[in-house]
Amino acid sequence: MKLKIGDLEKIRDKVKRTAILREGKAKAKVTVHMGTCGIAAGARDILSKMMHEIERNKIKDVIITTSGCAGLCSREPMATVEISGKPPVKYVNLNADKVKKIVLNHLIGGKIVNEYALAIGSERTH
Amino acid sequence: MDELALHVLDIVENSLAAGADRIRIAVDEDRRHNRLVIRIRDNGRGMSARALKRSMDPFYTTKTVRRIGLGLSLMAQACRAAGGRLDVRSTRGRGTSVRAEFVFDHIDRQPLGNMALTVVNIMAAGGAGVDIAYEHKIARRVFRFDTRAVRKIVPPETWRQPAVLNALCKRIEQALKSIS
């Protein structure tokens, strides 16, 4: 069994309607830290929640990716939010509710959620 | 980690860090022989004989951010706890393969968990530059997913967009449900 071509075409058509076509044109990038420590602390669910919240809020120009361990294992799960032209912000000890608030306030509203933010700075992605 | 799909994700993160652009994941739920086998193969830079020998030592790593490397040792422990074993083979410049075997109905075997989410997570990590082949066999029914086929229809530049990842995750979940 394979995914049907029709299913993939539906996804392609949806992308044409709702998403940007080049990563370089994205307004924002979210990087979820996916080292062993992050994965064990729940980073995959954080990434899933990010994906759903971004789509649910119909935010078109955001891309999601992952990075390795940033060296702050005790503060995982962590994610870095970068809005084009602004410094990246590292959020720590994330959970589903915090992700929801970060999407609403930072990605949509442009305001850093200070209470969840640890620092300004980004890390290497793949 | 409380599900095997998370171990898979962790191992593949190593593959990506090793520069792999082709990753193959195969899951075989062989209830007839009471066995679960997970294979991960990549074409990354591979390990030296010395690094391979020490790869399951949690206090050995090639990373510089911190001197602990838990990925393979955690998976090895998960295998041993479920009456199985982990084998790692690697050739410098050619890639690495990992084979994890578990006794299927062992009381201490972790659940396989959400493989669909792990696969799209790898797509988000690798983006357009990485191809993933995923095969999942349950008894005699097989599901195959290959991003080389996906890239012919869905532009790879869009693979890091939540709408694409969510849609693919849902389709893979449905397909897996249909063969189980």
Side-chain angles (χ1 to χ4, degrees):
Chain A
M1 185 185 184
K2 292 178 183 174
L3 285 194
K4 290 175 190 150
I5 288 173
D7 284 340
L8 294 173
E9 285 171 345
K10 276 183 200 163
I11 294 170
R12 179 196 60 198
D13 294 344
K14 188 177 178 181
V15 169
K16 276 185 187 164
R17 286 197 307 274
T18 63
I20 47 157
L21 288 172
R22 298 240 181 270
E23 288 189 4
K25 288 184 184 169
K27 186 191 95 179
K29 180 166 90 169
V30 177
T31 304
V32 180
H33 299 219
M34 208 63 69
T36 305
C37 47
I39 293 169
R44 195 191 57 176
D45 292 337
I46 294 299
L47 185 133
S48 174
K49 182 71 179 170
M50 279 284 182
M51 286 174 0
H52 283 100
E53 285 300 315
I54 291 167
E55 192 178 4
R56 194 172 69 83
N57 286 286
K58 299 184 171 63
I59 315 174
K60 292 180 184 175
D61 39 10
V62 178
I63 59 166
I64 286 196
T65 187
T66 70
S67 70
C69 173
L72 293 161
C73 308
S74 64
R75 311 301 298 273
E76 297 284 1
M78 293 168 57
T80 304
V81 174
E82 292 180 70
I83 302 221
S84 181
K86 294 188 177 169
V89 178
K90 207 180 288 291
Y91 289 105
V92 297
N93 299 117
L94 293 176
N95 60 30
D97 290 339
K98 290 179 184 178
V99 167
K100 207 171 173 179
K101 198 166 173 184
I102 290 164
V103 169
L104 285 174
N105 291 13
H106 196 165
L107 281 177
I108 298 174
K111 288 179 187 164
I112 296 170
V113 187
N114 288 318
E115 68 238 67
Y116 309 149
L118 173 77
I120 304 290
S122 62
E123 61 293 312
R124 188 179 63 85
T125 54
H126 296 297
Chain B
M1 291 185 210
D2 52 9
E3 55 179 77
L4 298 175
L6 292 176
H7 290 280
V8 172
L9 177 58
D10 194 18
I11 302 293
V12 174
E13 285 284 330
N14 291 345
S15 301
L16 295 172
D21 62 8
R22 177 83 176 139
I23 292 156
R24 281 179 274 184
I25 302 166
V27 177
D28 184 2
E29 297 189 41
D30 183 359
R31 291 169 207 216
R32 192 163 156 238
H33 296 100
N34 197 23
R35 198 173 56 177
L36 169 65
V37 178
I38 300 173
R39 290 187 185 86
I40 302 161
R41 278 191 289 166
D42 71 50
N43 65 348
R45 68 179 72 93
M47 289 182 266
S48 66
R50 183 174 176 271
L52 179 63
K53 204 173 171 184
R54 298 196 64 192
S55 62
M56 279 182 246
D57 174 354
F59 299 103
Y60 177 78
T61 181
T62 55
K63 290 195 298 286
T64 52
V65 64
R66 54 170 171 66
R67 302 304 298 169
I68 295 172
L70 292 172
L72 282 170
S73 52
L74 283 174
M75 190 148 194
Q77 173 56 29
C79 293
R80 282 195 300 270
R85 57 179 290 175
L86 184 77
D87 292 309
V88 184
R89 291 179 185 189
S90 191
T91 307
R92 220 35 200 284
R94 294 189 63 182
T96 299
S97 70
V98 173
R99 181 184 184 278
E101 185 174 327
F102 309 82
V103 173
F104 192 92
D105 68 359
H106 198 289
I107 194 166
D108 289 323
R109 181 179 67 78
Q110 292 176 342
L112 183 58
N114 193 337
M115 279 302 298
L117 192 50
T118 284
V119 169
V120 297
N121 205 315
I122 297 165
M123 288 181 74
V130 176
D131 272 312
I132 304 152
Y134 166 53
E135 180 185 286
H136 197 132
K137 201 187 287 182
I138 300 176
R140 287 184 180 177
R141 307 184 77 183
V142 187
F143 167 66
R144 290 190 181 92
F145 172 80
D146 195 325
T147 56
R148 287 182 303 189
V150 175
R151 79 170 56 235
K152 288 177 190 164
I153 300 170
V154 182
E157 295 81 11
T158 65
W159 289 359
R160 282 181 165 147
Q161 294 182 26
V164 176
L165 296 168
N166 279 330
L168 282 171
C169 187
K170 204 171 158 189
R171 296 295 189 288
I172 296 170
E173 276 174 350
Q174 286 168 349
L176 289 176
K177 201 176 268 182
S178 75
I179 62 162
S180 62

